Amino acid sequence: MAKTSIHFVPVKSGSEIHNLREKELDYVIKELTPNNEHWVDPRYEGQTLADIRKEIADRYQTHVGQKMQAKAAPIREAVIVIKPDTTMADLQLLAKQLEKEFGIKCIQLHIHRDEGFSKDNPDPSKLNLHAHFVADWTHANGTSLRLTPQDTSKMQTIGAECLKMERGSSSNVKHLNAVQYKEKKALENISSLRKLVYKSFLSQNAKNALYKKIDQLVEDLKADPMNIQLQQQVEQLTEKVTQLQADIERRKQQREQDQKTISALREENAQLRRNNEKNASFNENLRKENRDLKRKAYPERYVLPSFINVDATRIYKDKQGQCHIAMMFTGGSKEYSEKMSNEDFMAFKNGDLTKEEVIAKYYKPLIEGYIRREFSRPEKRSAALSLIENTIFDYMKLYASSTFVPSSNGDNNPRKRRNYDDIDDINEEERKGMAYK
């Protein structure tokens, strides 16, 4: 027979979000979420836990004559192990018995049948079946209930009887709740993470950055050991380092394969050159074929980030014979016009330069400025990285985690800067004070 136990702890701020699945969790099997059940005691219908706490605090101040302490825990929560056939009626019976014996008033009951024991192995046949019991832990005057060790022991017996399960064994060892257990595991994971970073093929700078992040996580966990988000950060960082290891190995293999491909292409081109050296038309075809092979071998050199509207960008010659390029950002209406050399214009017309290469050549400072601004905003940094990956500006990923991103030569030119007002973070007063001659 399965065992069960009840251990109440102060309710966490994110309890309702977790219990009602208002936030996506990586260990939840979404297909099973409809099997969850929820019940609210009619006495607390329509109230959030914050509303209930305020009401308790008001009652406390009215009867005791002073404000309730901030560290008080008038609302508590227990996670109870259940069986596959445990019903909401079983839990309601338990709630009724706990209120009768100890004055513990049930606020909410939540049965979770959609959690796996491990996010790496979400096997539906191995579920973490449990219920959340959220309770009002106060007397009518707002003061907290006081339970003796004997009361706590009796509570375990009542729980086992109501849920038709075996009672957990009594123990003098301090009980670790789920959050405390995760904290302990997080600290163990940090130790393992340090070893993983040390043995990795990452550069020393990358290792130092990770060590700094790990040290900060340790300090944060010591300051707030109940913070589940910090524990999840440790897991995510471990997973990230493991992925980096695999990615580095994959890139090494890919680089070797690319070198073989490039060597084969060079040999093929060399043979073509020897065979067609005296024929001008064949040489021209060879040149174009070599250019196309290079574009296939290095496609990222001919791709721009999606925030550049390549299709809307115009390359043209005016009536006076001056060549121009007018670029637009995706979703924007403003054109950024630059003069082009006749040599580049003809190279574009002949197919020796792609439109993407021309844009990158003439708007490099402007585009880098946009990317630097996105990197300066932590909440947008990840999106910016994905935008430039495998593009002409892929090299700027090296500066994503650095506070210094080198500027191109054109960025310090006041004449150029005027066109960047809606790209860089320059306020109106700074723009008005900027010289333009």
Side-chain angles (χ1 to χ4, degrees):
M1 183 182 293
K3 294 183 179 181
T4 188
S5 61
I6 307 172
H7 299 276
F8 282 95
V9 296
V11 71
K12 300 185 291 292
S13 59
S15 173
E16 288 177 300
I17 294 176
H18 170 86
N19 290 338
L20 296 174
R21 296 294 187 254
E22 295 177 355
K23 178 182 178 180
E24 187 171 326
L25 301 168
D26 55 8
Y27 52 83
V28 166
I29 304 170
K30 296 180 181 179
E31 295 78 7
L32 301 179
T33 298
N35 296 335
N36 293 347
E37 295 183 53
H38 309 279
W39 178 80
V40 178
D41 189 290
R43 292 172 292 184
Y44 301 96
E45 192 75 46
Q47 293 179 283
T48 65
L49 295 184
D51 295 334
I52 297 170
R53 180 186 173 87
K54 183 178 183 305
E55 181 183 332
I56 294 172
D58 291 342
R59 282 193 278 115
Y60 181 88
Q61 186 168 10
T62 300
H63 289 87
V64 179
Q66 63 182 29
K67 289 185 177 180
M68 177 181 287
Q69 294 184 7
K71 64 180 181 180
I75 301 176
R76 304 194 182 188
E77 182 175 6
V79 178
I80 307 170
V81 177
I82 61 174
K83 300 183 299 181
D85 58 352
T86 298
T87 66
M88 185 62 76
D90 295 333
L91 290 166
Q92 289 170 340
L93 174 61
L94 172 61
K96 183 178 179 180
Q97 290 299 108
L98 293 185
E99 182 168 359
K100 178 181 177 182
E101 291 289 337
F102 312 112
I104 300 172
K105 297 180 285 295
C106 180
I107 299 175
Q108 301 170 358
L109 291 171
H110 305 274
I111 298 177
H112 287 167
R113 298 189 175 97
D114 60 350
E115 292 186 25
F117 279 106
S118 169
K119 65 180 180 182
D120 299 321
N121 183 28
D123 186 350
S125 66
K126 298 179 180 179
L127 298 176
N128 179 15
L129 298 174
H130 63 276
H132 289 259
F133 188 123
V134 183
D136 180 346
W137 201 266
T138 64
H139 296 286
N141 61 4
T143 59
S144 290
L145 300 173
R146 303 290 182 186
L147 269 61
T148 66
Q150 292 76 18
D151 292 334
T152 303
S153 178
K154 186 175 182 180
M155 184 190 300
Q156 309 311 313
T157 302
I158 294 174
E161 291 175 351
C162 293
L163 300 180
K164 305 177 186 67
M165 298 175 70
E166 185 179 342
R167 183 192 189 285
S169 301
S170 298
S171 173
N172 293 324
V173 179
K174 184 178 178 182
H175 177 74
L176 287 180
N177 61 33
V179 175
Q180 291 168 330
Y181 175 75
K182 286 185 178 180
E183 175 201 345
K184 177 175 177 291
K185 292 298 292 182
L187 292 174
E188 292 175 355
N189 289 341
I190 286 177
S191 178
S192 300
L193 179 57
R194 284 184 185 278
K195 295 178 181 178
L196 181 61
V197 173
Y198 178 77
K199 295 179 180 179
S200 70
F201 298 114
L202 299 174
S203 68
Q204 192 58 48
N205 287 339
K207 287 183 178 181
N208 290 339
L210 283 169
Y211 286 142
K212 185 176 181 180
K213 178 69 174 177
I214 291 169
D215 291 340
Q216 186 60 52
L217 280 171
V218 172
E219 292 301 317
D220 291 344
L221 275 170
K222 288 180 179 177
D224 186 7
M226 304 296 282
N227 193 325
I228 295 179
Q229 290 183 344
L230 293 175
Q231 299 160 9
Q232 292 174 343
Q233 284 182 38
V234 175
E235 296 176 0
Q236 292 167 1
L237 194 57
T238 302
E239 185 176 352
K240 182 178 179 180
V241 173
T242 303
Q243 290 175 347
L244 281 172
Q245 280 278 77
D247 188 54
I248 289 172
E249 185 62 31
R250 180 185 61 79
R251 286 174 183 270
K252 285 176 62 179
Q253 295 176 359
Q254 184 64 48
R255 189 159 50 243
E256 293 173 359
Q257 183 61 40
D258 288 345
Q259 289 298 326
K260 292 179 181 179
T261 302
I262 292 170
S263 296
L265 289 171
R266 285 174 177 169
E267 179 61 32
E268 182 181 349
N269 290 338
Q271 184 64 41
L272 286 172
R273 269 194 298 271
R274 289 191 292 269
N275 294 339
N276 301 297
E277 192 172 16
K278 297 179 181 180
N279 191 312
S281 62
F282 278 118
N283 282 342
E284 179 62 16
N285 292 335
L286 178 62
R287 184 182 64 81
K288 291 181 179 180
E289 183 177 353
N290 185 48
R291 178 198 63 199
D292 294 338
L293 287 171
K294 185 171 65 174
R295 290 174 181 174
K296 291 178 180 179
Y298 305 99
E300 66 276 6
R301 296 183 183 177
Y302 306 90
V303 177
L304 287 171
S306 60
F307 56 78
I308 304 298
N309 193 337
V310 177
D311 293 337
T313 298
R314 299 183 296 126
I315 297 177
Y316 63 96
K317 185 179 290 189
D318 61 23
K319 294 180 179 179
Q320 288 73 39
Q322 175 62 53
C323 304
H324 300 270
I325 177 172
M327 186 200 74
M328 294 180 67
F329 285 94
T330 302
S333 58
K334 180 179 178 180
E335 283 190 337
Y336 296 83
S337 182
E338 296 283 352
K339 291 181 180 180
M340 278 181 65
S341 68
N342 190 64
E343 180 182 5
D344 287 342
F345 183 84
M346 294 307 299
F348 169 72
K349 287 295 184 182
N350 293 335
D352 292 330
L353 285 176
T354 65
K355 185 185 285 188
E356 289 82 356
E357 288 177 287
V358 177
I359 293 173
K361 178 176 181 179
Y362 284 88
Y363 295 97
K364 181 180 179 181
L366 182 64
I367 297 171
E368 285 185 345
Y370 178 89
I371 296 170
R372 287 198 308 279
R373 189 188 77 164
E374 296 302 289
F375 281 169
S376 68
R377 301 178 177 180
E379 71 277 9
K380 291 190 176 182
R381 187 169 298 166
S382 178
L385 280 170
S386 64
L387 287 176
I388 66 174
E389 187 170 8
N390 296 326
T391 70
I392 298 174
F393 293 89
D394 188 90
Y395 63 88
M396 292 197 73
K397 291 195 299 184
L398 297 173
Y399 310 106
S401 61
S402 174
T403 56
F404 169 74
V405 180
S407 59
S408 58
N409 295 334
D411 270 1
N412 296 321
N413 185 341
R415 187 183 298 275
K416 295 277 187 183
R417 289 293 297 180
R418 190 182 187 202
N419 287 333
Y420 304 164
D421 290 349
D422 58 339
I423 302 300
D424 292 336
D425 293 327
I426 303 176
N427 62 41
E428 190 64 22
E429 291 302 318
E430 289 174 324
R431 286 201 290 271
K432 288 181 180 178
M434 187 177 293
Y436 180 75
K437 297 181 181 180

